[in-house]
Amino acid sequence: MIVDNEELGKLKNELLGLHQLAAQARGYAFEAFLKELFDAFGLAAREAFRLRGEQIDGSFQLGHETYLLEAKWQNAQTGVADLHAFHGKLEQKASWTRGLFVSNSGFTEDGLAAFGRGKRLVCVDGLDLYDIMHRGIPLDKALERKIRRAAETGHPFARVRDLYPE
């Protein structure tokens, strides 16, 4: 689905505006922003929901697959513990469940290395989100490229700018 430049500009400004919020408010606003972004690209997003004993930050449809969402906005980059915690949630669901971990601050190299290969999730950072909106790359197509790269290499994270060289 193609989103017009005006809508992309509005979304990009909304993402940049989240920096001004207090930490807890920013986390909830980030989840709401992601739902709005996924919906803008026709990915049928669902808001955060609680299951017994756990919080899921949302879900969306990509093709015929449902993805669960983990959204983090914190000062530090995301490390292995958070990656394993989210993957553990995925493992408690149906075997075909996949996940998208969005960390605005990015991921530590050590954390990604320790997390390992061949998991059921892909990773997106804040720079990826900005590049998608700034360069007008359809979100669904960027996610499909990330998923294909993860399937081919076993690595959960590849930068959008590496997948879409200028």
Side-chain angles (χ1 to χ4, degrees):
M1 174 176 224
I2 303 290
V3 177
D4 66 46
N5 287 337
E6 184 177 329
E7 178 72 9
L8 283 176
K10 177 183 162 282
L11 288 165
K12 186 168 59 171
N13 288 335
E14 189 175 330
L15 176 63
L16 294 173
L18 294 178
H19 289 275
Q20 308 305 316
L21 299 175
Q24 187 171 9
R26 187 174 51 226
Y28 291 121
F30 189 44
E31 290 173 14
F33 164 78
L34 290 171
K35 182 187 181 318
E36 186 178 350
L37 179 66
F38 294 146
D39 282 342
F41 283 93
L43 299 180
R46 181 175 176 195
E47 294 176 341
F49 55 96
R50 291 194 64 76
L51 299 172
R52 188 172 186 164
E54 69 181 359
Q55 164 86 21
I56 304 293
D57 293 338
S59 68
F60 64 94
Q61 292 288 131
L62 181 62
H64 297 291
E65 303 287 338
T66 299
Y67 284 76
L68 299 184
L69 174 68
E70 179 73 13
K72 289 274 186 209
W73 188 309
Q74 54 198 14
N75 291 332
Q77 291 182 315
T78 297
V80 70
D82 288 328
L83 290 165
H84 278 304
F86 181 51
H87 194 260
K89 290 179 183 181
L90 298 177
E91 289 182 332
Q92 298 303 311
K93 308 294 181 281
S95 62
W96 58 84
T97 303
R98 297 179 177 191
L100 178 70
F101 198 122
V102 182
S103 173
N104 189 67
S105 300
F107 303 88
T108 66
E109 289 297 322
D110 287 345
L112 289 170
F115 182 58
R117 298 171 147 223
K119 304 295 195 285
R120 298 184 339 206
L121 66 90
V122 292
C123 300
V124 170
D125 67 9
L127 183 57
D128 285 339
L129 294 175
Y130 184 83
D131 280 345
I132 287 166
M133 292 180 289
H134 184 71
R135 295 174 57 192
I137 300 168
L139 177 61
D140 55 334
K141 299 303 178 197
L143 292 175
E144 287 170 356
R145 281 202 188 180
K146 282 181 162 283
I147 292 161
R148 183 172 184 165
R149 178 68 60 92
E152 292 171 349
T153 66
H155 296 290
F157 181 66
R159 293 198 175 285
V160 165
R161 54 184 51 185
D162 294 335
L163 297 171
Y164 288 87
E166 302 243 18

